[in-house]
Amino acid sequence: MTKPRFTFSSLKGIPDVLPPETILWNKIESAACEVFGSCGYDEIRTPVMEPSELFLRSIGESSDIVAKEMYSFTDKGGRGISLRPEGTAGVVRAYVEHNLPVRPAPQKFFYRGPMFRYERPQKGRQRQFHQIGAECFGASHPGMDAELVMMLMAFLEKAGISGLSLEMNSIGCPECRAAFKERLRAYFGPHLPELCPDCNRRFEQNPLRILDCKVERCIEIGADAPLISESLCPECRRHFDSVLALLTAMKTPYAVNPRMVRGLDYYTRTVFEVKSGRLGAQNAVAAGGRYDLLVSEFGGPETPALGFAAGMERLAKLLAEETLFKDLMEKTGGQPEVFIAPLGDAAGAAALVSAGLMRSRGIRVEIGWDGSLKSKLRRADKMGAKLVVIIGEDELKSGMYKWKDLKSGESGEIGAAEIPGLLSR
RNA sequence: GUGGGCGUAGCUCAAUCGGCAGAGCACUGGACUGUGGCUCCAGUGGUUGUGGGUUCAAUCCCCAUCGCCCACCCCA
């Protein structure tokens, strides 16, 4: 072996996902497909790259995501391009570009895939991460808000993730939010010297964020700050009350968090977050809300819309801790049902034929090509195979293969075609 | 971008005051010629993240750099 001149590793904050963790991902994704499908959502796949302008216009230039976290570059044609930092902008672009508003409302989509943000990695946060999300266009009724939230919770439950809490808030329409910001500035203005440097910056950029500052003094000062719920216009108030009433009626547990803020500029009215206490500082596993103005800002007709996104890595981390799923992993985590040990070249052909028959029936079969019979068996055991089938010269002659159940130690002989029957005993 | 912690075998970790880089697990093979697990034996595996500096001598001390972890900012 010559020593490699260079070694490579994946980029900072952009890790590989290896088995058996990928099995968790598949389980989460299949739960999503099933639940979302039953709610009338179909999958949409949009590019991972979009014009940078798309994100500037949707997420908002003041957001850190756009200001400093985008992977942006200029392509050979001089176009400004960015890797998507979130999924909604692309879906809205596709919705408008393909004139989907002419299809009957509501139009409902879900998506999944990698997102990119140039941030310092920490627990639950990476530079490439994966989201699975849903978007619904053309429904303004609060019933759709409640339905979307319930769909999200049903998905998480179906995926097998427990210990989550749902927080609801309304950040109103641009009118009531603007009024609220002024009330906040009026309240915090006199306290500016006492607030932390970050909050002094927030005071200018987005005073709502002062409300969820983590500095103790800021929390104290903010304790008596006005709440958005007191500033909502009658329409927004009615909408929010209606959403909450529906959740209550459906016995979906939630808590109103009047201090919840969203990171993206496009949200209006309903916003929500699903949190876990087991994820460190990055405790949100899913978040979303209504964005009634974004479609028209993208050149489409005025179209109310709402959606959410869930973080796959965070969900997978939680799911990996579920004891229920640990058991499942032990039973099905990439373990062959049948391990065929051929001895000699002629037996190899017979092993392939036999394996092919079983595999076409969906049985997971491993063939042990290398090593002695002993090492083959040892490997079968380590792989967690249920059944070993041995094919040597004697077996080829008689057509009866030796088998052994590695759990019970039972063994015997059986015709090649009968092997699957042994599995269902 | 800011602050703190940590980098020794695939993994978990040792290495006395600065003095020959080790163990367990894992992997491969053998003991047992065609029957796994248990036991025993052996083997593979390292420029101690990288580059400088101090020193007779550096895994150890110093500097830089890269990476990882945690937190802030921000966010799924």
Side-chain angles (χ1 to χ4, degrees), chain A residues 61-140:
Chain A
E61 294 185 36
S62 67
S63 166
D64 271 14
I65 292 175
V66 164
K68 57 183 196 189
E69 293 177 1
M70 286 214 297
Y71 277 90
S72 298
F73 62 97
T74 306
D75 75 1
K76 294 181 181 180
R79 288 167 282 256
I81 290 175
S82 293
L83 267 44
R84 62 184 181 192
E86 59 98 44
T88 299
V91 176
V92 174
R93 194 220 78 238
Y95 177 76
V96 173
E97 179 172 344
H98 301 290
N99 209 20
L100 300 186
V102 302
R103 295 189 188 178
Q107 287 290 306
K108 298 184 279 192
F109 307 97
F110 75 90
Y111 64 87
R112 52 181 147 172
M115 307 295 164
F116 305 86
R117 290 179 200 171
Y118 192 90
E119 303 179 271
R120 192 83 163 253
Q122 69 181 77
K123 190 181 182 74
R125 188 169 66 188
Q126 302 165 183
R127 290 184 171 180
Q128 174 177 317
F129 60 102
H130 294 74
Q131 289 186 329
I132 187 159
E135 313 289 353
C136 170
F137 299 98
S140 58

Side-chain angles (χ1 to χ4, degrees), chain A residues 333-339 363-366 380 383-387:
Chain A
Q335 296 167 328
E337 293 173 275
V338 178
F339 186 102
I363 298 169
R364 185 168 176 127
V365 181
E366 192 76 22
M383 293 178 86
K386 288 193 189 107
L387 194 70

Side-chain angles (χ1 to χ4, degrees), chain A residues 116-175:
Chain A
F116 305 86
R117 290 179 200 171
Y118 192 90
E119 303 179 271
R120 192 83 163 253
Q122 69 181 77
K123 190 181 182 74
R125 188 169 66 188
Q126 302 165 183
R127 290 184 171 180
Q128 174 177 317
F129 60 102
H130 294 74
Q131 289 186 329
I132 187 159
E135 313 289 353
C136 170
F137 299 98
S140 58
H141 194 279
M144 190 58 91
D145 301 51
E147 195 182 349
L148 183 80
V149 169
M150 289 172 60
M151 177 174 88
L152 171 58
M153 300 312 283
F155 150 53
L156 295 172
E157 187 182 346
K158 182 96 190 173
I161 298 164
S162 60
L164 301 173
S165 62
L166 169 65
E167 294 186 1
M168 303 291 303
N169 194 21
S170 172
I171 57 171
C173 55
E175 287 73 33

Side-chain angles (χ1 to χ4, degrees), chain A residues 8-23 25 126-130 313 316:
Chain A
F8 294 106
S9 57
S10 72
L11 295 169
K12 184 190 186 87
I14 307 187
D16 301 305
V17 184
L18 304 175
E21 202 185 333
T22 44
I23 297 168
W25 286 51
Q126 302 165 183
R127 290 184 171 180
Q128 174 177 317
F129 60 102
H130 294 74
E313 283 82 357

